[in-house]
Amino acid sequence: MEYDYDNIASTTIRDRLSRLPWERRGELEELLVLERYILDGFRLRGYEHALRIAWLLRYRRDDYLTLVRELAPTCLSCELELLEMDDSFRQEKYRESA
């Protein structure tokens, strides 16, 4: 996938871009995926996109919440609630399997 580094909406990502070596741009590409997801109104574009977003929400949670706080502050409380529900679901499933 081709990423457009000229049209980054988030100041957080732009700041990281200026400090990060080009070899580690994979980190930025993950953040750009999250940025696009937020700016598209939290809309998923198919199965593969949904899997990627689910992975990013699990492993890049702090970055995701930072981007939501910056790009869609009115949605922050809803997103926090959804992430807490996801955590409690995972804990419940873990207890059932143990």
Side-chain angles (χ1 to χ4, degrees), residues 38-94:
I38 294 166
L39 294 176
D40 284 348
F42 303 94
R43 188 175 49 237
L44 296 171
R45 298 182 311 255
Y47 183 72
E48 182 181 337
H49 186 247
L51 287 175
R52 187 165 190 193
I53 292 298
W55 187 89
L56 290 171
L57 292 182
R58 186 167 184 188
Y59 294 104
R60 302 297 297 261
R61 177 178 293 205
D62 292 339
D63 292 326
Y64 173 68
L65 291 174
T66 300
L67 291 174
V68 170
R69 198 172 286 119
E70 179 183 346
L71 301 171
T74 57
C75 299
L76 183 59
S77 61
C78 295
E79 290 302 305
L80 284 169
E81 191 174 315
L82 288 172
L83 291 172
E84 286 173 11
M85 286 171 36
D86 183 50
D87 285 344
S88 62
F89 176 75
R90 287 180 198 282
Q91 289 173 357
E92 184 178 310
K93 286 294 183 187
Y94 177 76

Side-chain angles (χ1 to χ4, degrees), residues 3-16:
Y3 295 96
D4 185 8
Y5 292 101
D6 294 328
N7 295 321
I8 297 173
S10 167
T11 55
T12 303
I13 297 175
R14 269 190 261 128
D15 290 345
R16 285 194 190 179

